[in-house]
CSV table of all heavy atoms in Angstrom, one decimal:
chain,number,residue,atom,x,y,z
A,1341,HIS,N,23.4,45.9,-31.2
A,1341,HIS,CA,22.1,45.8,-32.0
A,1341,HIS,C,21.1,44.9,-31.2
A,1341,HIS,O,21.5,44.1,-30.4
A,1341,HIS,CB,22.5,45.2,-33.3
A,1341,HIS,CG,22.8,43.7,-33.2
A,1341,HIS,ND1,24.1,43.3,-33.0
A,1341,HIS,CD2,22.1,42.6,-33.3
A,1341,HIS,CE1,24.2,42.0,-32.9
A,1341,HIS,NE2,22.9,41.5,-33.1
A,1346,LYS,N,15.1,43.1,-37.2
A,1346,LYS,CA,14.5,42.7,-38.5
A,1346,LYS,C,15.6,42.8,-39.5
A,1346,LYS,O,16.2,43.7,-39.7
A,1346,LYS,CB,13.3,43.5,-38.9
A,1346,LYS,CG,12.1,43.3,-38.0
A,1346,LYS,CD,10.9,44.1,-38.6
A,1346,LYS,CE,9.7,43.9,-37.7
A,1346,LYS,NZ,8.5,44.7,-38.2
A,1396,ARG,N,44.1,41.7,-37.8
A,1396,ARG,CA,43.3,40.5,-37.6
A,1396,ARG,C,41.9,40.8,-37.1
A,1396,ARG,O,40.9,40.2,-37.5
A,1396,ARG,CB,44.0,39.5,-36.7
A,1396,ARG,CG,43.4,38.2,-36.6
A,1396,ARG,CD,44.2,37.2,-35.8
A,1396,ARG,NE,44.4,37.7,-34.4
A,1396,ARG,CZ,45.0,36.9,-33.4
A,1396,ARG,NH1,45.5,35.8,-33.7
A,1396,ARG,NH2,45.0,37.4,-32.2
A,1452,LYS,N,60.0,60.7,-27.8
A,1452,LYS,CA,61.4,60.6,-28.2
A,1452,LYS,C,61.9,61.9,-28.8
A,1452,LYS,O,63.0,62.3,-28.7
A,1452,LYS,CB,61.5,59.4,-29.2
A,1452,LYS,CG,61.5,58.0,-28.6
A,1452,LYS,CD,61.6,57.0,-29.7
A,1452,LYS,CE,62.9,57.1,-30.5
A,1452,LYS,NZ,62.9,56.0,-31.6
A,1562,ILE,N,58.1,65.3,-16.8
A,1562,ILE,CA,56.7,65.4,-17.1
A,1562,ILE,C,56.3,64.5,-18.3
A,1562,ILE,O,55.4,63.7,-18.2
A,1562,ILE,CB,56.2,66.9,-17.4
A,1562,ILE,CG1,56.4,67.7,-16.1
A,1562,ILE,CG2,54.8,66.9,-17.8
A,1562,ILE,CD1,56.4,69.2,-16.4
A,1571,GLU,N,60.8,58.6,-6.6
A,1571,GLU,CA,59.4,58.8,-6.4
A,1571,GLU,C,59.0,60.3,-6.7
A,1571,GLU,O,59.8,61.2,-6.6
A,1571,GLU,CB,59.0,58.6,-4.9
A,1571,GLU,CG,59.1,57.1,-4.5
A,1571,GLU,CD,58.2,56.2,-5.2
A,1571,GLU,OE1,57.0,56.7,-5.5
A,1571,GLU,OE2,58.6,55.2,-5.7
A,1643,GLU,N,33.2,73.9,17.6
A,1643,GLU,CA,32.1,73.2,16.8
A,1643,GLU,C,32.5,71.7,16.5
A,1643,GLU,O,31.6,70.8,16.6
A,1643,GLU,CB,31.8,73.9,15.5
A,1643,GLU,CG,31.3,75.3,15.6
A,1643,GLU,CD,30.0,75.4,16.3
A,1643,GLU,OE1,29.3,74.3,16.5
A,1643,GLU,OE2,29.5,76.5,16.7
A,1668,LEU,N,22.8,68.9,13.2
A,1668,LEU,CA,23.0,70.3,13.4
A,1668,LEU,C,24.5,70.6,13.7
A,1668,LEU,O,25.0,71.6,13.2
A,1668,LEU,CB,22.2,70.7,14.7
A,1668,LEU,CG,22.3,72.2,15.1
A,1668,LEU,CD1,21.8,73.1,14.0
A,1668,LEU,CD2,21.5,72.4,16.3
A,1757,ALA,N,55.6,80.9,-9.1
A,1757,ALA,CA,55.7,82.3,-8.9
A,1757,ALA,C,56.7,82.6,-7.7
A,1757,ALA,O,57.6,83.5,-7.8
A,1757,ALA,CB,54.4,83.0,-8.7
A,1781,SER,N,79.5,100.3,-19.3
A,1781,SER,CA,79.3,99.1,-20.2
A,1781,SER,C,77.9,99.0,-20.7
A,1781,SER,O,76.9,98.9,-19.9
A,1781,SER,CB,79.7,97.8,-19.4
A,1781,SER,OG,79.3,96.7,-20.1
A,1785,LYS,N,74.5,97.2,-18.8
A,1785,LYS,CA,73.2,97.9,-18.7
A,1785,LYS,C,72.0,97.1,-19.3
A,1785,LYS,O,71.0,96.9,-18.7
A,1785,LYS,CB,73.3,99.3,-19.3
A,1785,LYS,CG,72.0,100.1,-19.2
A,1785,LYS,CD,72.2,101.5,-19.9
A,1785,LYS,CE,70.9,102.3,-19.7
A,1785,LYS,NZ,69.7,101.6,-20.3
A,1806,LEU,N,46.1,86.0,-9.7
A,1806,LEU,CA,45.2,86.5,-8.7
A,1806,LEU,C,43.7,86.5,-9.2
A,1806,LEU,O,42.8,86.0,-8.5
A,1806,LEU,CB,45.6,87.9,-8.3
A,1806,LEU,CG,45.0,88.5,-7.0
A,1806,LEU,CD1,45.4,87.6,-5.8
A,1806,LEU,CD2,45.5,89.9,-6.8
A,1833,SER,N,41.9,83.3,-49.0
A,1833,SER,CA,43.0,82.7,-49.8
A,1833,SER,C,44.0,83.6,-50.4
A,1833,SER,O,45.2,83.3,-50.6
A,1833,SER,CB,42.4,81.7,-50.8
A,1833,SER,OG,41.6,82.5,-51.7
A,1877,ASP,N,23.0,85.9,-24.1
A,1877,ASP,CA,22.9,85.5,-25.5
A,1877,ASP,C,22.7,86.7,-26.5
A,1877,ASP,O,22.4,86.6,-27.6
A,1877,ASP,CB,21.7,84.6,-25.7
A,1877,ASP,CG,20.3,85.3,-25.2
A,1877,ASP,OD1,20.4,86.3,-24.5
A,1877,ASP,OD2,19.3,84.7,-25.6
A,1934,GLN,N,18.4,104.3,-30.9
A,1934,GLN,CA,17.4,104.3,-29.8
A,1934,GLN,C,17.6,105.3,-28.7
A,1934,GLN,O,16.8,105.5,-27.8
A,1934,GLN,CB,17.4,102.9,-29.1
A,1934,GLN,CG,17.6,101.7,-30.0
A,1934,GLN,CD,16.4,101.4,-30.8
A,1934,GLN,OE1,15.3,101.5,-30.3
A,1934,GLN,NE2,16.6,101.0,-32.1
A,2006,GLU,N,12.4,101.4,-20.4
A,2006,GLU,CA,11.5,102.4,-21.0
A,2006,GLU,C,10.5,101.7,-21.9
A,2006,GLU,O,9.3,102.0,-21.9
A,2006,GLU,CB,12.3,103.4,-21.7
A,2006,GLU,CG,13.1,104.4,-20.8
A,2006,GLU,CD,14.0,105.3,-21.6
A,2006,GLU,OE1,14.0,105.2,-22.8
A,2006,GLU,OE2,14.7,106.1,-20.9
A,2045,GLN,N,43.9,60.3,-39.5
A,2045,GLN,CA,44.5,61.7,-39.3
A,2045,GLN,C,45.5,61.8,-38.2
A,2045,GLN,O,46.5,62.4,-38.3
A,2045,GLN,CB,43.3,62.6,-39.0
A,2045,GLN,CG,42.3,62.8,-40.2
A,2045,GLN,CD,41.1,63.5,-39.8
A,2045,GLN,OE1,40.8,63.7,-38.6
A,2045,GLN,NE2,40.2,63.8,-40.8
A,2046,HIS,N,45.2,61.1,-37.1
A,2046,HIS,CA,46.2,61.1,-36.0
A,2046,HIS,C,47.5,60.5,-36.4
A,2046,HIS,O,48.6,61.0,-36.1
A,2046,HIS,CB,45.6,60.3,-34.8
A,2046,HIS,CG,46.4,60.4,-33.5
A,2046,HIS,ND1,46.5,61.4,-32.7
A,2046,HIS,CD2,47.4,59.5,-33.1
A,2046,HIS,CE1,47.4,61.2,-31.7
A,2046,HIS,NE2,47.9,60.0,-31.9
Side-chain angles (χ1 to χ4, degrees):
H1341 69 272
K1346 290 183 179 180
R1396 187 173 63 172
K1452 282 177 63 179
I1562 295 164
E1571 291 298 318
E1643 296 298 348
L1668 182 61
S1781 172
K1785 181 180 182 300
L1806 196 59
S1833 55
D1877 58 345
Q1934 320 284 322
E2006 291 173 355
Q2045 293 167 355
H2046 183 81

